[in-house]
Amino acid sequence: MMSEAKTRLVVIGAGPGGYTAAFHAAQLGLEVTMIDTRANPGGVCLNVGCIPSKALLHAAAVITESRHAVEFGLNFGEPELDVKKLRAWKEQIVSQLTGGLGQLAKKHKVRFIQGLAEFNSASSLSVKTASGNEELDFDYAIVATGSVPAKIPGITLESDRVVDSTGALEIPDIPNSLLVVGGGYIGLELGSVYSALGSAVSVVEFMDSLLPGVDRDLVRPLERKIKKSFSKIYLKTKVTGMSETKSGVAVTFEGKVNETIEYDRVLVAIGRKPYCSGLGLENTKIELDKAGFVRIDNQMRTAEPNIFAIGDIAGQPMLAHKGMREAKVAVEAIAGRDSVYDNKVIPAVVFTDPEIAWAGLTEPEAKAKGQDIKVTRFPWAASGRALTMGRNEGLTKMVLDPETGSILGVGIVGAHAGELIAEGALAIEMGAVAEDLALTIHAHPTLSETVGEAAEIFTGFSTHVFTR
């Protein structure tokens, strides 16, 4: 069965970037069709990424907190785990959010097609659906197909015991031993979940540190905690082979560690790559860079003037909130508005325990550029609120222009760092200087005070840290 239709704007992919684009376009009065392989909007983020992982991280945090409470006189006993109920709770959250987005699409009068889209040309595409193919002509298109987990080069073992992030979030069981391949944010987040749930977790990272590329000042408190909760951490080591055994997976290491070790399960979390295959991009003038990302300008426009690309396929960083901002820029450009992507910073958060968050210029980046900066550090050991929570391992760090005091970057490690970084991002976007934050009254006692105190250190009048 084949049908033909025409739409003003087609959005391919219904993740955070895609559904934001579709809804914003509808708000601006455009006729919109949205296409995705799933039954409801949400994409990887809501179904098998950000949302389910944060649900499980919350469960892990509750377990960790209950154990930690013994130190200040509260003994709840060892938590009892009901894996089936935990899985159902996680899936209920996903269902609620994706179902809600489905209802929003209807309210916005966005036509939703469940199927697989492929460009025939710069003005038409085919959609493979369960009931047949549909031909769709369009004036404009926004490609928001996201990304997929990367695989280890040269290793092709197909086994239920070897999973990517999607498989790990299904919580098929709690293995006695789990190897996490990749010490980036996905591996450490999911490794933290399984460690809290009872697995002996090991992590192997090819680079010389966990979270490669992240400021070491922010990573150290996390490393100290992970060394206590994880079984082993192998740095400067790569996986060169995997083979299934009767009881698990035998993994061969090469580098700082050279041996073969058996694990019940292996989680491969070495990053993600843009999902561009099968889209028929070769039938358009759309260009890809060497890393496989779609080339775009500051309005998200591709080499085809009427086709835009946003989110993970449009370049690093591969973050949902970046795609959501790009979505609005692309839609407004299509609607004829004078809109460009000109944000100064994109905040990043690693939802481990403790959390790590940063926005703007980091100290390592400044040093690599030879840029003159002033760095301030406020240790959470001097925060009353952090001490009352038993979380004094944190640090709030600020990178500033030494002459003007302009805030160039903010980094935070500690409980709720992901919430706190918003003030830093806003400060940079608004062109604030240290004195602006230092003179802003922060509620006491709160963790947000650490941001104001880091700014105070630059002025030389810090209340809770001695400065000369």
Side-chain angles (χ1 to χ4, degrees), residues 9 11 16-32 34 104 108 110 142 324-335 337 339:
L9 169 65
V11 179
Y19 72 70
T20 297
F23 295 171
H24 192 49
Q27 290 165 348
L28 294 180
L30 297 179
E31 178 200 16
V32 186
M34 181 163 52
L104 268 178
H108 282 301
V110 171
I142 295 177
M324 295 169 84
R325 173 69 185 125
E326 291 175 335
K328 293 189 175 181
V329 171
V331 167
E332 289 170 7
I334 290 169
R337 298 193 175 190
S339 181

Side-chain angles (χ1 to χ4, degrees), residues 92-104:
Q92 185 274 327
I93 293 170
V94 171
S95 177
Q96 180 179 340
L97 288 172
T98 56
L101 287 171
Q103 292 301 312
L104 268 178

Side-chain angles (χ1 to χ4, degrees), residues 43-61:
V44 167
C45 179
L46 268 68
N47 286 278
V48 291
C50 317
I51 298 303
S53 67
K54 302 315 166 283
L56 296 179
L57 280 163
H58 175 68

Side-chain angles (χ1 to χ4, degrees), residues 59-273:
V62 171
I63 293 174
T64 303
E65 191 72 14
S66 70
R67 292 168 177 163
H68 183 218
V70 174
E71 297 179 10
F72 44 87
L74 297 176
N75 192 343
F76 297 97
E78 187 61 20
E80 294 183 8
L81 177 62
D82 185 333
V83 176
K84 186 176 180 180
K85 194 169 184 178
L86 177 63
R87 188 186 301 119
W89 173 70
K90 179 259 301 182
E91 290 172 353
Q92 185 274 327
I93 293 170
V94 171
S95 177
Q96 180 179 340
L97 288 172
T98 56
L101 287 171
Q103 292 301 312
L104 268 178
K106 292 177 181 177
K107 289 182 178 180
H108 282 301
K109 293 182 169 43
V110 171
R111 184 189 179 208
F112 185 82
I113 303 176
Q114 184 178 3
L116 190 64
E118 181 178 356
F119 284 105
N120 299 321
S121 68
S123 60
S124 70
L125 53 79
S126 299
V127 186
K128 294 180 182 178
T129 71
S131 58
N133 289 345
E134 179 173 334
E135 299 296 315
L136 183 66
D137 292 335
F138 57 87
D139 294 326
Y140 295 94
I142 295 177
V143 186
T145 47
S147 60
V148 294
K151 296 182 179 181
I152 303 174
I155 296 180
T156 58
L157 176 64
E158 296 291 336
S159 168
D160 291 341
R161 295 180 180 272
V162 180
V163 298
D164 55 21
S165 58
T166 299
L169 288 168
E170 289 298 318
I171 332 175
D173 56 24
I174 307 302
N176 290 325
S177 61
L178 172 71
L179 174 68
V180 177
V181 183
Y185 75 95
I186 296 175
L188 295 186
E189 287 181 3
L190 291 177
S192 297
V193 168
Y194 276 88
S195 175
L197 295 179
S199 297
V201 177
S202 298
V203 60
V204 57
E205 169 56 47
F206 179 69
M207 303 298 285
D208 60 0
S209 66
L210 298 176
L211 294 174
V214 180
D215 189 331
R216 293 299 93 195
D217 279 350
L218 305 182
V219 176
R220 286 189 196 99
L222 174 62
E223 282 181 328
R224 286 193 289 267
K225 190 163 186 179
I226 281 180
K227 285 178 180 178
K228 295 177 182 179
S229 60
F230 281 21
S231 179
K232 295 285 185 181
I233 298 175
Y234 303 117
L235 300 177
K236 299 175 73 172
T237 303
K238 65 179 180 179
V239 172
T240 57
M242 286 188 206
S243 60
E244 191 163 16
T245 66
K246 290 183 178 180
S247 56
V249 179
V251 182
T252 301
F253 300 107
E254 182 180 293
K256 201 169 183 180
V257 176
N258 294 280
E259 57 182 305
T260 299
I261 304 174
E262 185 176 299
Y263 299 90
D264 291 335
R265 283 189 181 274
V266 176
L267 164 60
V268 178
I270 59 172
R272 301 183 66 86
K273 59 181 182 179

Side-chain angles (χ1 to χ4, degrees), residues 375-411:
V375 176
T376 65
R377 298 174 178 84
F378 183 82
W380 284 22
S383 163
R385 180 60 176 142
L387 289 172
T388 64
M389 297 168 62
R391 300 306 304 267
N392 63 345
E393 76 276 13
L395 173 76
T396 297
K397 180 175 181 178
M398 206 164 281
V399 178
L400 308 106
D401 184 291
E403 298 298 325
T404 66
S406 293
I407 300 167
L408 306 176
V410 177

